[in-house]
Amino acid sequence: QSALTQPASVSGSPGQSITISCTGTSSDFGSYNLVSWYQQYSGKAPKLIIYEVNKRPSGVSNRFSGSKSGNTASLTISGLQAEDEADYYCCSYAGSITWVFGGGTKLTVL
Amino acid sequence: QVQLQESGPGLVKPPETLSLTCTVSGGSISNYDWSWIRQPPGKGLAWIAYISHSGSTKYNPSLKSRATISVDTSKNHFSLTLNSVTAADTAMYYCVRVGGSPPVHAFDIWGQGTMVTVSA
């Protein structure tokens, strides 16, 4: 089980949109649409922001959206705000009750 | 709402056993599935172990059978033991709830985490 591949860092200016990719193999994602994304501020616990590829938990801004095509999932943040500066992790259910995370992406708001 | 709180020793000597407990408040532990996730300093997240509401378990193969997850419904808490620890097991350990339906197979509630350092 290897970690999913994410860019180490991305950046954008306030108001812009950014996309973070998350690439794996067919065995990582399987035939499931069970990709989730987590936001983690420095020194804090992660928070679920996207589940089942493109669904948002209650209370999460609609500026966050997810998608998946083949073996690549993506998180898009639109209307970038200073408060979005954090680390972001993708995670996929890999079957047989196992999960694999991405290495994480540091988002910098310029 | 459901809240999770990890507890355990902050320092463990190699090759001893690491033992952590996660106390669930605001809801019954029997209604959900649970996991442990860890994060070495400056690194990414890694799923460690899972236990269902019915007690079935699953582990990350990379731990090579060193991990054990269990539930004590009478105390509304679940636990993780990791034996033969090394410095590579130094990490922030999070207990998490595995979402029901929905969110399916996502970790929807997290504890604040407990830092464990493995050092002689």
Side-chain angles (χ1 to χ4, degrees), chain B residues 65-83:
Chain B
S65 304
R66 294 193 297 125
T68 302
I69 188 172
S70 60
V71 165
D72 187 333
T73 54
S74 67
K75 296 181 179 178
N76 222 43
H77 74 209
F78 63 105
S79 301
L80 174 74
T81 61
L82 186 64
N83 56 36

Side-chain angles (χ1 to χ4, degrees), chain B residues 16 19 28 36 40 53-54 68 70 72 84-85 90 92 99 104 110 120:
Chain B
E16 295 181 351
S19 296
S28 173
W36 286 94
H53 60 278
S54 61
T68 302
S70 60
D72 187 333
S84 303
V85 298
T90 293
M92 182 71 80
V104 177
W110 295 63

Side-chain angles (χ1 to χ4, degrees), chain A residues 38 40 52 89 96-97 99, chain B residues 39 50 58 103-105 107:
Chain A
Y38 302 84
Q40 185 180 34
E52 294 175 43
Y89 293 90
S96 301
I97 316 180
W99 288 265
Chain B
Q39 184 174 34
Y50 160 93
K58 199 67 183 286
V104 177
H105 286 308
F107 306 110

Side-chain angles (χ1 to χ4, degrees), chain A residues 11 16 22 34-35 61-62 65 96 107 110:
Chain A
S11 62
Q16 288 185 331
C22 171
L34 295 173
V35 177
S61 172
N62 59 8
S65 62
S96 301
L107 169 62
L110 302 171

Side-chain angles (χ1 to χ4, degrees), chain A residues 3-101:
Chain A
L4 303 173
T5 301
Q6 297 181 234
S9 63
V10 298
S11 62
S13 299
Q16 288 185 331
S17 293
I18 64 94
T19 296
I20 299 171
S21 61
C22 171
T23 302
T25 66
S26 56
S27 61
D28 292 326
F29 289 116
S31 58
Y32 313 102
N33 283 320
L34 295 173
V35 177
S36 51
W37 289 88
Y38 302 84
Q39 176 190 59
Q40 185 180 34
Y41 292 114
S42 179
K44 300 296 186 181
K47 171 190 173 184
L48 176 67
I49 57 172
I50 294 288
Y51 65 96
E52 294 175 43
V53 174
N54 56 16
K55 298 178 181 178
R56 286 185 307 276
S58 174
V60 173
S61 172
N62 59 8
R63 297 186 300 104
F64 294 90
S65 62
S67 63
K68 177 173 171 280
S69 178
N71 291 332
T72 298
S74 299
L75 172 72
T76 297
I77 308 174
S78 59
L80 206 57
Q81 299 179 0
E83 67 195 49
D84 299 329
E85 187 161 293
D87 294 328
Y88 292 86
Y89 293 90
C90 63
C91 180
S92 179
Y93 178 71
S96 301
I97 316 180
T98 63
W99 288 265
V100 59
F101 280 93

